[in-house]
Amino acid sequence: MLSHRALWPFLPFRPFGALTSLLARLPSQCAVCRAWPSRPVCDACVARFAPPTARCGSCALPVPEGVSRCGECVKHPPPLDACLAACTYAWPWPDAIAAFKFRGEAGWAGPFATLLRSAPWVEPALEACDVVLPMPLAPRRLRERGFNQAHELARRLAPSKTDATLLLRTRETPAQSGLSRADRLRNLHGAFAVEPLRAEKLRGLLVDDVMTSGASLFTAAEVLRLAGAAHITAVVLARTDPPR
């Protein structure tokens, strides 16, 4: 089989973005099991490491079959109408997500968007929403990474509905890692803003890569609620396990 480099002389001239898209469709090696030829993550690995899982409809934590809401969400309902996750934040996904976010491997956006679309209820949520809102990055972090991973996911999920200007990050915040959920919420106070006239009565869908405590998504959803949003769904690639 010819490599991507060997095929280069035979490819017609085209804009770089289209050429990158073409190369992304060529057979490659599965990043998990190393099967060849395959997609970046083969169907067998998706079935094994991202199986459909019963999750709380409000925060996406795993729950027993037949349970729609976890106890914490029953006692303290979050500002989300629904929360959907494609997989648990466990091997092999952390390494792949880190490559996507921190090592500039933006090509993971396509496979990850496909994984998201395959999760239960994500397709209907995309169809029902008015606008898809990527979780925004602070300017300094955006400069460091070169792109917003949530925006890359969102525009592959629903390019015609994605709006990266409605929900904005208004200030830098210290890293969330290592903080308790209460401290994370305090850390994010006043960190998001939204234009009220554009948010009123909309059905929004928030997109992010990893959900840990939910502080960022909940804070963004609160801001959208205050601006008049009628319905807010969150869709995340990976959900961390509950604390033990």
Side-chain angles (χ1 to χ4, degrees), residues 217-241:
L217 285 165
F218 293 168
T219 303
E222 288 277 14
V223 171
L224 288 163
R225 286 279 187 216
L226 290 172
H231 191 279
I232 307 165
T233 296
V235 169
V236 298
L237 176 62
R239 182 64 160 106
T240 59
D241 286 333

Side-chain angles (χ1 to χ4, degrees), residues 37-96:
S38 179
R39 294 180 295 176
V41 180
C42 70
D43 291 342
C45 285
V46 170
R48 181 178 179 184
F49 298 112
T53 302
R55 295 182 179 277
C56 172
S58 297
C59 72
L61 283 177
V63 293
E65 288 289 344
V67 175
S68 61
R69 294 288 186 276
C70 69
E72 183 63 23
C73 287
V74 171
K75 291 186 293 184
H76 306 289
L80 294 170
D81 293 289
C83 188
L84 309 170
C87 62
T88 297
Y89 189 68
W91 194 89
W93 308 118
D95 287 346

Side-chain angles (χ1 to χ4, degrees), residues 11 21 48 88 107 115 148 173 180 189 201 219 221 230 240:
L11 295 172
S21 176
R48 181 178 179 184
T88 297
L115 180 60
N148 178 355
T173 56
S180 68
H189 181 70
K201 296 183 180 179
T219 303
T240 59

